[in-house]
Structure formats: structure tokens, C-alpha cells
Amino acid sequence: MTRPRILSLADLKPQDMAQQLQNDYEVVRDIAAAADVEAVVTAGNVGLSSQQMRQLPALRLIAVNGVGVDAVDLDEAARRGIAVTTTPDVLSLAVAEMALALALAAGRQIAEGDRFVRAGDWGRGGKLGLASSVLERRAGILGYGRIGRRLADMLRGLGMQVSYTARREKSDTPDRFFPDALSLAGDCELLFVTAAGGSETRNLVDADVLAALGPQGIVVNVARGPVVNAVALADALRSGAIAGAGLDVFDDEPNVPQALLDAPNCVLTPHIGSATVQARRAMAQLVLDNLSAHFAGKPLLTPYEV
Ligand code: NAP
């Protein structure tokens, strides 16, 4: 039986899931050779532009291996009736765990302490200053969707007081709602950014929000780089307007602005929020299941709905 041809712009992981894709489909990697494909596999941060869609006249399905759709031209997909699927929920624990890890790393000088030991400064009699407890701070979550709410559950379980903002207040939560990022930042010292990316959330965390967070404040961004203004963040770290930051996502990955590389107490990771074996396997399975459903003419498992 001939296998359907698909275009893959992102690798599934772990390796056995990539192998499964190869077994089930004829996988094309060059878009110039993919004019006949009905389905494309892409990643959240890779997406699919309208220009790429124009090269794919037979396209019926964009299967995103992730939940961020800010890099997919959704208007163009809707105009052409191309379905989009994502991998919701199965990565929420991994990303929430990463957010907590970044908060602890920035708040408890873990990355700085590691550099200090390796550089031999400890052996030479040096000392790090005192940190401020992370779990005794009030937490604010900007973007209270699947990842934000998973994180809120974790933080509450650790005894933290949690507040949040989102487009709409939620009725089914013990956490306190604030109407915007500024009022949320004024009430917390640990600001977690878990909102969707895109034009609506660009620069939601700006110099005013950082000033409201205050000199004990820590910002953690596991959402999308542009949600936090990188210039304002680097300034705030340098001037002491906030105490620290933990960043997994950036405006122009894999390039990280020098100002953030140079900023004090800024812990940086290379967009690995969902990069656990468990999450990536479950994400890949959903991609494979959505592809199978499409080619069998069955309903998609996790269609993205605006
Ligand atoms: P989700 O369930 O769709 O949640 C998105 C949240 O963002 C919702 O609470 C939504 O508010 C909020 N939001 C949207 N526009 C907003 C605005 N203008 N102001 C305030 N809040 C706004 O998505 P999710 O599964 O939690 O994922 C969230 C994001 O995490 C993804 O979009 C992706 O960019 C990022 N992500 C990163 C990694 C990583 O590796 N670091 C991995 C996976 C995902 P409402 O609830 O009111 O609609």
C-alpha cells in the first residue's frame, strides 16, 4: 500500500516516534518538493506562514507538535479551509514544572551558584549573598489557561498564595483575579508568564509592569518571548528595578539579545519547557493520531478552534 506523502518541518521525539512517522508516511522535508502533500507537521515555534501555505496548494491539515499557534497564519488557514491541530494538555505539566524550576533557579541563585563553584570562587573563600525565599513570595500568573492553571495547582500545593490575570475571570478557581498585568504585578513578587503568544499579548509585560513588580520581583517567561519586552526587562534587571528573571523563550530564537546575556540574575534556557520524554512522547502520539484521523476521513482529535 502506498503511504501518504506528508511534509515535516519539525522532528517528532523521542526517536521511536520519529520512526513511527517514517513508517506510516513518506516524509518530505523540502517544501519545494511538497506541492502534492495534504498534511504538514510543524512545531509551535516553527509554525507555517502564508507564504509557505501558498507553496502547498493541496494542503488540508497543519498538525502542530505543540500548543502555540502564533507562528501559524491562522487567517490564511481559515480562508483556505485548512484544519489546524495542536497537542493541548499533555505538555502542561512539563511546562509548569519548567516555570517552577526557573523561579527556583533565579530566586535561589542556582545557576549563579553553579557558576560560582565551577569558577573556583568558593574554594578561594568567596561567598554568595543571601537569597530571598521563593515559596514565601506571592505568585501571579499572567495567562490562566491549561499551563497557567496547572502551575497554579502546583504553587497552591506548595503553600503559595496565587493570583492571576487572563482575558476573562474564571469562576471555578480559588485564585484571585486581577483585570490586567499591571494590577497583578502590583500584588505579587513572582510573575509567571504563561499567556498565548501573538499580537494581542505582545509587550504585555513592559517597564511599568516590571516597576510594579518591584525590587524583590522575579519574572518567569515560559510562554513566548514577545509577551515580555526584552529591552525593558534587561533594563529592570540592570537597574535593580526587579530582582531576577527566568526565561525559556525569546523574540528571535535561537538568538538571545546581548543585554539579557549580560543582565544580572537572569537564568536562560533554550525553549525546553515541553522537552521531557513523557511530554514529547504524548505530543508525538497526538500528532500521529491526528494525521491518522485525517487520512482515514475521521474527526480530528484535537482541532485548534479560535
Ligand atoms: P491556553 O490554554 O490557550 O491558555 C492561554 C492563556 O492565555 C489563556 O488563559 C488566555 O486567557 C490567556 N490570554 C490570551 N490572550 C491574553 C491577553 N491579551 N491578556 C491576558 N491573557 C491572555 O494555552 P496553554 O496550553 O496554557 O499554553 C500557553 C502558551 O504557552 C502557548 O500559547 C505557548 O505559546 C506557550 N508554550 C510554551 C512552551 C515552552 O516550551 N516554553 C511549551 C508549550 C506552550 P483566557 O483564559 O481568558 O482565554
Side-chain angles (χ1 to χ4, degrees):
M1 208 176 78
T2 56
R3 296 167 301 164
R5 271 161 60 84
I6 63 159
L7 172 66
S8 180
L9 300 176
D11 290 331
L12 297 186
K13 292 204 172 112
Q15 182 50 38
D16 56 305
M17 302 307 273
Q19 191 56 54
Q20 190 63 50
L21 187 75
Q22 297 278 0
N23 294 346
D24 295 350
Y25 301 96
E26 187 188 333
V27 179
V28 180
R29 292 185 183 277
D30 177 5
I31 194 166
D36 60 328
V37 305
E38 270 183 42
V40 58
V41 174
T42 186
N45 59 341
V46 174
L48 198 71
S49 67
S50 54
Q51 193 205 335
Q52 288 173 307
M53 281 183 225
R54 275 197 290 279
Q55 293 177 260
L56 302 167
L59 193 63
R60 307 299 310 145
L61 173 67
I62 301 168
V64 179
N65 188 31
V67 287
V69 287
D70 46 301
V72 176
D73 191 324
L74 292 173
D75 291 339
E76 180 65 8
R79 197 184 62 73
R80 283 184 42 191
I82 300 168
V84 178
T85 59
T86 59
T87 64
D89 296 315
V90 295
L91 48 61
S92 299
L93 171 69
V95 183
E97 180 176 80
M98 191 70 201
L100 178 59
L102 283 169
L104 291 167
R108 293 302 311 275
Q109 308 178 88
I110 291 173
E112 193 180 345
D114 181 87
R115 287 194 294 272
F116 180 83
V117 172
R118 287 175 200 280
D121 291 345
W122 194 25
R124 284 192 284 273
K127 296 224 179 338
L128 284 183
L130 293 182
S132 191
S133 166
V134 171
L135 299 185
E136 288 177 70
R137 294 171 206 230
R138 286 193 310 279
I141 302 183
L142 166 53
Y144 201 68
R146 292 168 297 237
I147 294 170
R149 295 191 70 144
R150 192 70 196 245
L151 177 63
D153 291 344
M154 256 182 213
L155 301 179
R156 246 184 279 110
L158 292 169
M160 295 185 86
Q161 190 184 310
V162 181
S163 303
Y164 72 97
T165 189
R167 285 175 296 194
R168 282 170 294 278
E169 185 171 5
K170 317 295 172 199
S171 55
D172 55 342
T173 173
D175 302 331
R176 182 171 171 201
F177 175 72
F178 284 87
D180 50 43
L182 190 61
S183 55
L184 179 71
D187 189 68
C188 70
E189 292 170 319
L190 187 49
L191 181 64
F192 290 99
V193 182
T194 60
S199 55
E200 272 183 42
T201 56
R202 178 174 288 274
N203 286 333
L204 268 187
V205 178
D206 59 11
D208 292 342
V209 170
L210 295 169
L213 194 60
Q216 295 300 315
I218 293 176
V219 175
V220 171
N221 188 6
V222 291
R224 283 289 182 263
V227 186
V228 177
N229 183 307
V231 173
L233 177 62
D235 283 350
L237 287 164
R238 238 187 346 261
S239 69
I242 65 168
L247 307 175
D248 187 48
V249 286
F250 304 89
D251 290 11
D252 178 30
E253 297 172 3
N255 303 308
V256 177
Q258 194 61 40
L260 288 178
L261 293 172
D262 293 341
N265 204 17
C266 187
V267 179
L268 307 166
T269 51
H271 202 145
I272 52 174
S274 72
T276 67
V277 173
Q278 294 83 354
R280 287 291 169 89
R281 180 180 295 286
M283 291 161 65
Q285 189 63 57
L286 265 180
V287 169
L288 291 169
D289 290 348
N290 278 309
L291 287 171
S292 305
H294 168 79
F295 285 106
K298 293 187 178 154
L300 298 168
L301 278 84
T302 47
Y304 177 80
E305 274 144 20
V306 186

